[in-house]
Amino acid sequence: MRLIHIMACAVVSILLLGLVGWPGETMTPMGDSSYPWRPAGRGTPSIDVVGRAPFAAEVYGDVAVSSRRGLGTAGLVGERITDGSTAWRYENGWADDSLGPVRVDDRRVAAIWRDGRVSLIDVPDGRIVWQADLPPGPYHEANRAYDEEWGAAWEISVARDGSVPLVAVLHDGRLDVLDGRTGATRWSYPSGSSAACPTGDSGLGVRGAGETVLVFRECAGAESNVALSAADGRRLWGFDGGELWHARALGADRLASVDDGGALVVRRVHDGKVLWRVPSAGLKDNPYGEAMGVSDELVTVRSETEVAAYRVADGEVAWRRTLGDAWDGTVLTDGVDTYVAEDATTLVKLDARTGRIVDRHRFEDDIAPRWMRDGLAGIGVGTGDDVVIG
């Protein structure tokens, strides 16, 4: 009888493994990708449609990375924009919930799981660069129990220490910041015995903004919002309210944000001092970071009636361009070209330095500018895939 039980268990195990696969993470490359991708039309004055990418994908060259779930597995898939073929698959058998993909830099994406595993993937090469395990936070057990009803709050962001990317992972009541080159933990916040609120009632949020990590914390009903050095976690300055939630790094020791009244505000990174403020920027209905296009020299914003570019150095207007009303106020810019919605279905391309209109393109459905990288931009059209333009 015991032999029968052993044989039955073995058969069931084999069937289960055949159905859901072996546990653990696997990477399966499926051919070379072109990086950087330079399609016909890239860099020309006209707006040329050069391909499509899945909605909410992260794009690296001609590879679009998006989450994918299967029977007994979860992970990421890299698909070529040029023809829709698969460049690689990253799968995790018997997986916990995934939080990725999170863009770390122009080549790499982080896959993060709510059991604390982190894997960094080189997208063009289709390989795992490093893997790390986050230790449990102070509310780990409580949050795991809570997960049975609703996913506990995790937040992921990216900051920088000079040229080194940092992955900031907020989990179970603690923030861990990982070195993007190695996966080693640089620092944690809060640390030690200060990690938990005395009452166990805590809210925590995080936003990476260049060489600063902004932490939004509520402990026992009291707010304690701080800006921390991305390099080592030391406290730089404190602030009230959540208007910095969508702050954007400008470089040159500056952060741009939109305050509760819709004013454009630029402050110094190292001490939080406000350097200049434009109350009339017209951003009351567009308080999010996506409403700002940032480059080395300009902050460009879209209001209901116009697009305006402000000099990072002093807040003076570099140029203005009157446009019609558009429900999406997102600005995409790389300092050379700027894309905004002119109306519900029309995309306009501007010279980023002068505001001169270079080209227009009308789509068949409502548009939403989403991303811009390496001279290419992704435009959401209706409810389908993003259209990639050059």
Side-chain angles (χ1 to χ4, degrees):
M1 180 64 70
R2 184 169 183 174
L3 179 61
I4 293 174
H5 285 165
I6 293 173
M7 293 181 64
C9 291
V11 170
V12 170
S13 298
I14 292 171
L15 290 175
L16 284 173
L17 288 174
L19 182 64
V20 302
W22 290 96
E25 296 162 278
T26 60
M27 171 63 76
T28 308
M30 299 182 182
D32 296 332
S33 64
S34 57
Y35 183 87
W37 183 40
R38 303 191 181 280
R42 178 183 178 274
T44 62
S46 61
I47 297 175
D48 297 302
V49 176
V50 299
R52 290 181 176 272
F55 172 75
E58 288 288 351
V59 174
Y60 304 76
D62 77 332
V63 178
V65 180
S66 54
S67 299
R68 190 66 53 89
R69 298 194 70 88
L71 184 61
T73 64
L76 306 178
V77 62
E79 297 175 316
R80 294 188 183 86
I81 294 173
T82 46
D83 57 12
S85 63
T86 300
W88 49 261
R89 291 183 182 277
Y90 162 79
E91 296 176 308
N92 189 2
W94 303 2
D96 201 346
D97 292 340
S98 172
L99 302 171
V102 181
R103 185 182 194 88
V104 176
D105 57 27
D106 288 341
R107 286 189 63 102
R108 299 176 298 174
V109 65
I112 300 175
W113 308 87
R114 284 201 292 120
D115 61 1
R117 287 171 292 170
V118 184
S119 295
L120 189 75
I121 298 169
D122 184 285
V123 174
D125 291 346
R127 64 182 177 87
I128 296 175
V129 179
W130 52 254
Q131 294 176 300
D133 290 295
L134 300 174
Y139 304 131
H140 176 73
E141 294 301 327
N143 282 345
R144 298 305 293 175
Y146 181 56
D147 285 349
E148 296 179 4
E149 299 295 331
W150 190 261
W154 280 58
E155 292 181 13
I156 316 299
S157 197
V158 175
R160 305 195 70 81
D161 175 15
S163 62
V164 178
L166 305 173
V167 182
V169 186
L170 173 64
H171 65 106
D172 303 327
R174 190 183 67 230
L175 171 66
D176 287 317
V177 176
L178 309 181
D179 190 307
R181 301 166 301 182
T182 65
T185 300
R186 281 283 198 94
W187 52 271
S188 300
Y189 176 88
S191 59
S193 59
S194 64
C197 281
T199 64
D201 178 17
S202 173
L204 197 65
V206 65
R207 169 75 174 179
E211 298 193 354
T212 305
V213 176
L214 303 171
V215 176
F216 304 81
R217 189 181 191 205
E218 182 177 352
C219 187
E223 287 188 336
S224 177
N225 302 325
V226 294
L228 306 176
S229 166
D232 54 19
R234 60 190 168 82
R235 186 184 188 279
L236 299 176
W237 40 276
F239 58 93
D240 296 324
E243 70 271 9
L244 287 173
W245 184 252
H246 297 282
R248 299 283 299 279
L250 302 179
D253 193 36
R254 284 167 167 78
L255 290 177
S257 63
V258 180
D259 70 15
D260 292 338
L264 175 63
V265 181
V266 169
R267 52 172 43 90
R268 268 198 311 244
V269 169
H270 71 269
D271 61 6
K273 179 182 178 181
V274 173
L275 300 176
W276 52 266
R277 184 175 184 270
V278 181
S280 58
L283 294 174
K284 187 173 183 180
D285 296 326
N286 290 305
Y288 307 114
E290 290 77 7
M292 296 182 287
V294 302
S295 61
D296 291 340
E297 298 178 355
L298 299 175
V299 182
T300 307
V301 298
R302 174 77 157 99
S303 68
E304 292 182 357
T305 59
E306 66 178 17
V307 182
Y310 300 90
R311 294 202 301 253
V312 170
D314 54 19
E316 294 297 318
V317 176
W319 54 263
R320 294 183 186 274
R321 168 67 61 175
T322 300
L323 292 177
D325 191 10
W327 68 272
D328 192 297
T330 302
V331 177
L332 306 178
T333 187
D334 59 4
V336 177
D337 299 314
T338 295
Y339 293 101
V340 295
E342 185 173 32
D343 54 38
T345 61
T346 304
L347 184 73
V348 63
K349 179 179 183 179
L350 307 172
D351 183 311
R353 293 153 294 197
T354 66
R356 177 180 62 88
I357 293 179
V358 177
D359 194 21
R360 289 182 172 89
H361 187 94
R362 184 174 294 277
F363 293 88
E364 295 180 354
D365 208 337
D366 289 351
I367 63 172
R370 299 197 193 280
W371 54 265
M372 186 175 187
R373 297 177 194 104
D374 195 31
L376 301 173
I379 310 299
V381 180
T383 58
D385 292 343
D386 291 351
V387 171
V388 182
I389 61 169

